Amino acid sequence: MNWFKKDPLQIVIFQSYGTDTHFYMRGRALEDETINLEQKGLLGLFINSWKRFETDEIKHTELKISLPDKTVLKTITDDHGYFKIDVQLKNLNAMANDEGWLKIEASYNDVNIKRSIQNENRFPGELLIPCPKADFGVISDIDDTIIHTGVVSTLKWKVLLNSIFKNAASRIPLEGAADFYHKLHRGASGDNANPIFYVSHSPWNLYRYLEFFLKQNTFPKGPILLRSFKDIFKKKSGDQPQKHIEIVNILKTYPHLKFILIGDSGEHDADIYIAIAKAFPSQVAAIYLRSVSHKKKMQRVKLLFQDYNQIPVLLVESSDQAIKHAQHNGFIA
């Protein structure tokens, strides 16, 4: 962090999703704190973690989003530097590649900004529009589903340790998870492009950290859906968890597509997933919940699904077990 000179500006575009007629994009305008995602050493890792949460956001500033067909969309950042574009357009599929990714470019639109801007004021981003050959979609949790976090540890001390004192490059994915997700992405034919959505309770401040982890460990690319700190503190008793809201939004966006829900047995995934399966019975194809080393939590989850037999549900001990189950149910080759 430079105390005597203002950092250059950047735009972080969160990979999002849409349809042929629905453009939905989120992101954030920030000062570039030059966070090294491969940083080593306790002091350096602590400083990086501080930078992630002590952000210098660019408030109330106009941005423009340029599409390949020269369409330009404009938006203004909010009090925390976030922006969202949610508009109806036409023929977005035609601009996406074979995997369904539509490339866009964001930039600051205020010519009077007297600040250095990174990347010559050109910030690439992508929007996923699932292609017609998708048989189903996958919605996956991140914490303790594909990455070890220690969410069931006493007082969650392992979560703190892993998030602050480990860089993204050194985090270890759960064994075989990436291979399982690639098989789901390719589907029963081996040639599909089934969309993968990653949903977490983590704040948007960890977006690049998680994006780097997924890429570093060769997971299929997909939208990463997190939440802002303001949503954490504004939550009222009785409100649905943000993860629940995000999953419902995905199902409503693609009403004709079935989804496999993947999570863990440590926190609230089981409750969220069974509630969603009951609310959207025609859209949930299966539920996979990774087992955790906590007897009481595992017993609670087993009781929760004891009398539920509407769709396949598996408490996963290993990725090999999940792969065999998915093959048996015709999800993968």
Side-chain angles (χ1 to χ4, degrees):
M1 187 178 300
N2 191 327
W3 300 105
F4 305 103
K5 181 180 177 182
K6 289 187 175 182
D7 293 315
L9 306 186
Q10 64 174 334
I11 301 173
V12 179
I13 301 172
F14 306 140
Q15 285 177 341
S16 194
Y17 60 92
T19 69
D20 186 43
T21 58
H22 185 190
F23 184 95
Y24 182 71
M25 175 67 66
R26 290 187 283 193
R28 200 176 189 192
L30 300 163
E31 290 186 7
D32 186 356
E33 301 282 0
T34 60
I35 295 175
N36 178 8
L37 292 168
E38 300 183 72
Q39 176 72 53
K40 297 180 179 179
L42 291 181
L43 179 59
L45 288 167
F46 181 80
I47 291 173
N48 269 357
S49 296
W50 170 260
K51 287 180 178 180
R52 284 192 197 97
F53 293 96
E54 194 284 311
T55 53
D56 294 313
E57 57 270 8
I58 312 303
K59 308 174 184 179
H60 312 302
T61 300
E62 187 174 77
L63 310 177
K64 67 177 181 179
I65 309 295
S66 301
L67 277 61
D69 66 353
K70 309 303 181 183
T71 296
V72 175
L73 307 171
K74 295 181 181 180
T75 185
I76 296 177
T77 59
D78 66 13
D79 290 341
H80 300 274
Y82 290 103
F83 66 88
K84 179 172 71 174
I85 298 180
D86 188 351
V87 297
Q88 298 297 313
L89 296 175
K90 293 181 179 180
N91 300 320
L92 293 175
N93 266 333
M95 293 183 279
N97 64 18
D98 291 341
E99 291 284 311
W101 289 100
L102 168 62
K103 295 184 181 296
I104 61 94
E105 186 176 273
S107 59
Y108 287 92
N109 200 41
D110 186 351
V111 295
N112 297 314
I113 293 179
K114 295 180 173 60
R115 295 280 300 276
S116 172
I117 303 177
Q118 294 283 58
N119 297 340
E120 299 180 343
N121 197 22
R122 300 178 65 181
F123 299 90
E126 291 179 301
L127 176 81
L128 178 63
I129 302 172
C131 63
K133 64 180 180 179
D135 282 340
F136 57 83
V138 176
I139 300 175
S140 173
D141 178 43
I142 296 176
D143 304 330
D144 280 322
T145 300
I146 61 176
I147 182 174
H148 291 282
T149 64
V151 74
V152 297
S153 60
T154 304
L155 300 179
K156 295 187 172 48
W157 66 270
K158 286 186 179 179
V159 177
L160 182 66
L161 178 67
N162 287 326
S163 299
I164 295 178
F165 296 113
K166 284 191 177 181
N167 63 41
S170 68
R171 297 296 294 276
I172 300 172
L174 291 168
E175 186 177 359
D179 180 46
F180 179 41
Y181 282 52
H182 275 288
K183 289 181 184 300
L184 289 171
H185 178 56
R186 289 305 171 200
S189 73
D191 192 37
N192 286 2
N194 298 323
I196 312 285
F197 300 83
Y198 301 97
V199 183
S200 172
H201 282 308
S202 296
W204 285 111
N205 305 65
L206 292 176
Y207 177 83
R208 281 191 162 176
Y209 184 97
L210 294 172
E211 181 186 41
F212 182 89
F213 169 83
L214 293 170
K215 185 176 181 179
Q216 177 89 354
N217 292 285
T218 67
F219 280 87
K221 184 167 62 174
I224 302 171
L225 308 170
L226 310 178
R227 60 176 176 170
S228 65
F229 269 123
K230 64 179 181 179
D231 293 330
I232 296 174
F233 296 117
K234 283 169 60 179
K235 189 177 184 299
K236 299 176 183 177
S237 177
D239 286 352
Q240 294 284 12
Q242 183 63 28
K243 184 187 293 186
H244 186 285
I245 295 170
E246 292 288 359
I247 294 173
V248 168
N249 285 342
I250 294 170
L251 267 61
K252 288 183 175 179
T253 300
Y254 310 109
H256 303 298
L257 194 62
K258 286 182 175 288
F259 286 86
I260 294 173
L261 308 182
I262 307 177
D264 68 86
S265 303
E267 289 291 287
H268 306 295
D269 288 351
D271 304 87
I272 292 172
Y273 290 0
I274 195 170
I276 288 174
K278 289 178 178 178
F280 297 85
S282 65
Q283 277 193 267
V284 179
I287 295 174
Y288 290 91
L289 293 167
R290 283 196 177 270
S291 300
V292 296
S293 300
H294 194 291
K295 288 184 179 179
K296 287 186 178 180
K297 291 182 182 292
M298 287 302 301
Q299 183 63 27
R300 188 188 76 83
V301 171
K302 288 177 182 178
L303 288 173
L304 187 65
F305 285 97
Q306 184 172 267
D307 299 319
Y308 183 77
N309 55 12
Q310 303 303 306
I311 60 170
V313 176
L314 180 67
L315 298 184
V316 181
E317 298 291 342
S318 70
S319 293
D320 285 341
Q321 180 193 19
I323 288 171
K324 290 177 182 177
H325 184 275
Q327 288 172 333
H328 177 73
N329 284 276
F331 300 135
I332 63 177

